[in-house]
């Protein structure tokens, strides 16, 4: 790839002139012939200029994830680290706030916010009083007002079930957790649980006895839930495959089934969501959907640019699908 110096030497102008022309500097005065020669030479030499980002200040990063939640699910940490890294590279000045600090600590001159976690109605009302520019990552508490970017968990669950059906499985179970209302604390149906019931019902295969739910999505909860399924269903009633809501949950479930001597995937297959680092090293390596946190974060920052620089006012929601990581925890149904 060519350098600015090489283009300057070819055209017969200074490096500064080449740089200013390629960056569309309106203050530079060059004739059209020189300008055209610079662009044609850059194309001929396959020159790619470094993207220059405008400086954006006073952006709040609301990280409403507790230390315990982050320790139990590395997914949230990966979002935090990736978002801060990309924001720095794009000249976006983030100020991180955490739930323990309280929503009222968010500065009133905040231009926009990026948010991860669950927020109460009064917290959302306070944010709206500060700025209309907000982007939620992984959740969408108010799609009429704020932007959001989310993994398409509904689609992933449907794809998991359809893949297991292709392998001949008909008795498919679900291991998952519950969502909750941030205002009341009451349990609500998680999107993955909702999608599983919806998909299996449409295919005439839904059996409630194959659905097992815990309060959280941790390795420990996955282990306990799997043990409960083993004790309740036994060898005769056990599904031949499980759709699992998250990798930490699936890892705990694999531990339980391995301890009890179940053959995986020969007797029971497992298909999960997240693709955390350890998923490829468990026994057997876990078939799972990879959620592209890098793409989630870059999309969130793109939405931020649209809001602040392009002055977009209509709310936009973006759903990103995952990529299947085929490993060894799925096999054809043994009952075929």
């Amino acid at each position: 790839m060519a350098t600015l110096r090489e283009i300057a030497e070819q055209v017969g102008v200074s490096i500064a002139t080449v740089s200013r022309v390629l960056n569309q500097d309106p203050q530079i005065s060059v004739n059209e012939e020189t300008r055209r020669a610079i662009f044609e030479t850059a194309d001929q030499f396959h020159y790619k200029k470094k993207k220059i980002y405008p400086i954006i200040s006073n952006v709040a990063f609301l990280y409403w994830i507790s230390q315990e939640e982050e320790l139990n699910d590395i997914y949230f940490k990966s979002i935090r680290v990736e978002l801060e890294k990309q924001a720095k590279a794009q000249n976006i000045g983030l100020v991180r706030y955490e739930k323990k600090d309280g929503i009222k600590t968010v500065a009133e001159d905040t231009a926009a916010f990026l948010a991860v976690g669950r927020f109460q109605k009064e917290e959302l009302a306070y944010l709206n009083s500060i700025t209309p520019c907000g982007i939620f990552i992984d959740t969408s508490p108010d799609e009429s007002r704020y932007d959001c970017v989310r993994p398409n968990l509904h689609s992933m669950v449907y794809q998991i079930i359809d893949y297991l059906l292709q392998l001949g499985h008909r008795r498919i179970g679900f291991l998952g957790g519950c969502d909750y209302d941030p205002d009341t604390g009451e349990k609500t149906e998680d999107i993955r649980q909702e999608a599983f019931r919806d998909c299996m019902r449409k295919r005439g295969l839904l059996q409630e006895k194959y659905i097992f739910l815990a309060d959280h999505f941790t390795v420990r909860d996955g282990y306990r839930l799997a043990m409960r399924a083993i004790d309740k269903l036994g060898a005769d009633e056990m599904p031949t495959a499980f759709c699992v809501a998250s990798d930490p949950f699936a890892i705990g479930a694999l531990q339980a089934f391995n301890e009890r001597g179940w053959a995986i995937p020969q007797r029971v297959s497992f298909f999960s969501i997240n693709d955390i680092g350890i998923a490829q090293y468990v026994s057997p390596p876990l078939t799972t959907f990879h959620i592209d946190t890098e793409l989630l974060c870059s999309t969130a920052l793109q939405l931020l640019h649209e809001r602040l620089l392009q002055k977009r006012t209509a709310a936009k929601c973006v759903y990103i699908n995952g990529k299947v990581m085929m490993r060894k925890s799925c096999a054809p149904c043994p009952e075929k």
Side-chain angles (χ1 to χ4, degrees):
M1 185 175 68
T3 64
L4 292 177
R5 180 182 298 278
E6 290 171 327
I7 297 172
E9 290 176 351
Q10 178 72 17
V11 179
V13 296
S14 69
I15 296 174
T17 298
V18 172
S19 176
R20 293 176 67 183
V21 168
L22 291 178
N23 284 294
Q24 305 285 359
D25 185 346
Q27 302 301 319
I28 189 169
S29 177
V30 295
N31 59 51
E32 282 305 311
E33 183 179 353
T34 300
R35 186 183 300 273
R36 183 169 58 253
I38 290 173
F39 278 106
E40 288 178 352
T41 304
D43 288 340
Q44 178 184 347
F45 287 0
H46 305 292
Y47 174 77
K48 292 183 179 179
K49 69 176 183 178
K50 181 179 179 181
K51 188 171 184 178
I52 299 176
Y53 293 95
I55 296 175
I56 297 178
S57 304
N58 297 334
V59 177
F61 176 25
L62 310 179
Y63 190 63
W64 255 228
I65 302 296
S66 68
Q67 186 176 28
E68 181 181 4
E69 288 175 309
E70 186 175 90
L71 287 172
N72 286 329
D73 195 341
I74 196 172
Y75 168 70
F76 295 113
K77 181 179 180 180
S78 66
I79 291 177
R80 174 176 61 80
V81 172
E82 184 63 33
L83 187 65
E84 291 178 331
K85 182 183 76 172
Q86 290 191 27
K88 183 178 180 180
Q90 295 185 27
N91 292 328
I92 299 172
L94 291 187
V95 180
R96 195 205 304 177
Y97 299 88
E98 298 185 0
K99 188 174 184 177
K100 59 182 175 61
D101 301 325
I103 197 68
K104 294 297 179 66
T105 61
V106 178
E108 294 185 2
D109 64 347
T110 295
F113 66 85
L114 298 155
V116 178
R118 303 288 181 181
F119 292 81
Q120 296 179 340
K121 291 179 180 178
E122 62 179 22
E123 293 174 323
L124 296 175
Y126 179 76
L127 291 172
N128 187 53
S129 70
I130 294 175
T131 175
C133 301
I135 296 92
F136 287 86
I137 303 172
D138 192 63
T139 61
S140 50
D142 187 351
E143 294 185 5
S144 66
R145 180 177 295 164
Y146 298 114
D147 294 352
C148 71
V149 53
R150 303 185 63 176
N152 196 342
L153 298 176
H154 189 278
S155 174
M156 293 180 204
V157 169
Y158 264 69
Q159 291 177 69
I160 288 173
I161 294 172
D162 285 342
Y163 175 72
L164 294 174
L165 291 175
Q166 290 174 17
L167 292 179
H169 296 280
R170 293 297 180 269
R171 294 193 293 138
I172 302 173
F174 179 79
L175 300 176
C178 297
D179 208 341
Y180 66 92
D181 186 313
D183 288 292
T184 65
E186 295 179 356
K187 293 180 182 179
T188 59
E189 194 173 45
D190 175 73
I191 183 64
R192 288 156 288 193
Q193 178 193 157
E194 177 185 337
F196 179 83
R197 281 198 169 95
D198 183 58
C199 184
M200 293 294 284
R201 186 180 296 112
K202 287 179 178 177
R203 286 148 178 74
L205 298 171
L206 179 63
Q207 294 196 57
E208 288 292 332
K209 66 179 180 180
Y210 293 157
I211 297 177
F212 294 86
L213 305 173
D215 291 335
H216 306 287
F217 294 90
T218 67
V219 173
R220 180 179 298 180
D221 285 299
Y223 176 86
R224 291 174 177 171
L225 210 60
M227 283 296 189
R228 189 191 310 168
I230 293 170
D231 292 338
K232 179 180 179 180
L233 299 176
D236 294 335
E237 293 294 319
M238 183 64 66
T240 59
F242 278 98
C243 171
V244 189
S246 71
D247 285 355
F249 224 62
I251 290 168
L254 288 177
Q255 290 176 356
F257 275 85
N258 282 327
E259 282 185 16
R260 291 293 185 90
W262 287 74
I264 304 171
Q266 293 81 5
R267 173 57 181 84
V268 185
S269 291
F270 289 86
F271 199 137
S272 181
I273 297 173
N274 264 27
D275 191 33
I276 62 176
I278 197 175
Q280 60 184 312
Y281 300 115
V282 295
S283 181
L286 188 60
T287 295
T288 182
F289 261 102
H290 175 74
I291 294 180
D292 193 336
T293 53
E294 181 178 343
L295 182 57
L296 282 174
C297 293
S298 65
T299 302
L301 295 181
Q302 179 182 337
L303 295 174
L304 179 71
H305 277 93
E306 291 176 7
R307 282 284 196 172
L308 293 180
L309 303 181
Q310 300 176 23
K311 306 303 181 183
R312 174 174 54 80
T313 56
K316 179 189 289 188
C317 292
V318 180
Y319 288 83
I320 296 176
N321 222 315
K323 177 183 178 182
V324 176
M325 308 302 293
M326 286 296 178
R327 299 194 177 106
K328 296 182 179 180
S329 64
C330 286
C333 177
E335 298 176 351
K336 286 184 69 175

